[in-house]
Amino acid sequence: MPVPTAPGTVAVLAYDGMTGFEAGIVTEVFGLSWPDIDQPWYDLTVCAERSPLRILGGASLHTPHGLDALAAADTVVIPSVKDPAGPVSAELIDALRTAHGRGARMVSICSGAFALAAAGLLDGRPATTHWRYAAALQERYPAVQVDPDPLYVDDGDVLTSAGCAAGLDLCLHLVRRDLGAAVANAVARRMVVSPHRPGGQAQYVEAPVPEDPVDDRLSATLHWAQEHLDEPLRVADLAARSAMSERTFARRFVAATGTSPAQWVIERRVQRAVELLESTDVPVESVCAATGFASAAALRHHFSARLGTSPTAYRRMFRDRASA
């Protein structure tokens, strides 16, 4: 096996008046070292146009790193902007364009998409932002292909995400891209979050807090299903395990996850297939059996629909990337 290499430098922008959570998402994922993960980690830098700056709640942040460090990073993260309706400074636009011109990976969280759009980095590209700002982003930057539904959009070297919590989904996705599913899942477990959330922003637009929040019975059923993906998982059986009627179970499931039970199971099975393809050499037929798909054809269909490639091609691509 090749010796693991560090995945590069990450620069996150801090600005006056931001919340600690916005930059904290990025700091938590890319700045902490995980002693039980045997993998060289990212080199994180917090950058700002000027320092010191104020954080909501009365705290202040001091950093010696300016926009020159931002422009020099391998991955640049804009966690948000102070005012989506306001201007983006010429200095920040220049730093973003410089970073992108060098080949840096550009990432935005929530309203941070407005900064990338102001720099012209989203022109002609699919992108997302918080559902509250999607219409404004489209109106202000008509060349951007705004999609208000996804939690995040990966367009190769430019990635955007929805509201700030969706930034955590995107950060874990970046770890998965760089270091594989096993490492990303390990980070997610230590942060006590799901390694992948199904569904999109639509589940939050009309009712951010469901009237009927998920209870312990449904939570226990989801955990059980995750551990038994190789078995038949019929909706009727899952409902019975939750001591609910199928209709009640389906309603509460959608309210809690934003997707149907059947789609949730497929998403989990595909994710398990990704882990097995990356971490083992077992044949695709064995991956199929371990993930509960009825046939190898079914595995290929659902895998390709979600990842845009076949299981065999994905394994080959992952191995080529790991040995590069």
Side-chain angles (χ1 to χ4, degrees):
M1 294 294 293
V3 177
T5 57
T9 57
V10 177
V12 57
L13 180 71
Y15 61 87
D16 194 64
M18 75 183 307
T19 71
F21 183 62
E22 293 166 341
I25 294 169
V26 184
T27 303
E28 182 81 9
V29 174
F30 301 114
L32 285 180
S33 60
W34 309 93
D36 55 337
I37 297 178
D38 186 19
Q39 163 67 50
W41 209 242
Y42 300 83
D43 181 10
L44 176 74
T45 302
V46 178
C47 304
E49 292 190 57
R50 57 192 57 85
S51 178
L53 53 85
R54 296 167 300 165
I55 298 176
L56 289 182
S60 61
L61 184 149
H62 298 253
T63 177
H65 306 292
L67 293 182
D68 54 340
L70 188 88
D74 298 314
T75 298
V76 174
V77 184
I78 309 299
S80 59
V81 295
K82 187 171 185 177
D83 180 9
V88 178
S89 74
E91 293 80 8
L92 178 57
I93 288 176
D94 183 63
L96 294 175
R97 289 174 176 170
T98 299
H100 186 253
R102 289 180 40 258
R105 182 168 56 184
M106 312 301 291
V107 180
S108 70
I109 297 172
C110 194
S111 62
F114 284 81
L116 297 188
L121 304 185
L122 298 184
D123 287 356
R125 290 178 177 266
T128 194
T129 186
H130 192 289
W131 58 267
R132 291 183 60 190
Y133 304 136
L137 181 66
Q138 187 66 87
E139 181 179 359
R140 187 171 175 183
Y141 301 102
V144 182
Q145 301 169 16
V146 180
D147 186 347
D149 184 57
L151 293 178
Y152 58 83
V153 172
D154 181 344
D155 195 41
D157 61 335
V158 178
L159 302 93
T160 53
S161 76
C164 53
L168 185 52
D169 297 280
L170 179 52
C171 288
L172 289 172
H173 171 72
L174 290 170
V175 175
R176 189 180 311 280
R177 261 184 50 171
D178 295 340
L179 304 175
V183 174
N185 291 350
V187 174
R189 283 194 299 271
R190 281 147 187 78
M191 298 178 69
V192 198
V193 297
S194 171
H196 173 71
R197 283 194 296 165
Q201 292 193 77
Q203 60 185 300
Y204 302 106
V205 173
E206 296 298 334
V209 180
E211 294 180 4
D212 238 350
V214 62
D215 59 22
D216 289 342
R217 292 174 296 167
L218 179 54
S219 178
T221 297
L222 296 183
H223 179 76
W224 179 88
Q226 181 79 32
E227 300 300 320
H228 294 80
L229 292 174
D230 58 330
E231 302 177 13
L233 296 174
R234 300 183 305 163
V235 175
D237 296 332
L238 296 176
R241 176 171 285 275
S242 301
M244 302 178 192
S245 68
E246 287 189 51
R247 184 174 180 179
T248 298
F249 177 80
R251 186 185 74 247
R252 292 194 176 186
F253 196 101
V254 171
T257 68
T259 190
S260 69
Q263 288 300 314
W264 183 90
V265 169
I266 291 172
E267 291 280 355
R268 291 303 187 272
R269 283 177 168 161
V270 169
Q271 186 54 52
R272 180 66 57 79
V274 166
E275 296 171 10
L276 292 173
L277 290 168
E278 291 188 0
S279 61
T280 74
D281 293 313
V282 299
V284 172
E285 290 74 15
S286 298
V287 173
C288 174
T291 53
F293 284 107
S295 65
L299 168 61
R300 286 193 294 270
H301 170 75
H302 292 295
F303 196 96
S304 298
R306 284 156 179 78
L307 279 77
T309 187
S310 69
T312 301
Y314 179 87
R315 172 177 273 168
R316 186 184 308 116
M317 177 181 65
F318 176 77
R319 294 297 171 84
D320 290 345
R321 185 177 69 217
S323 59

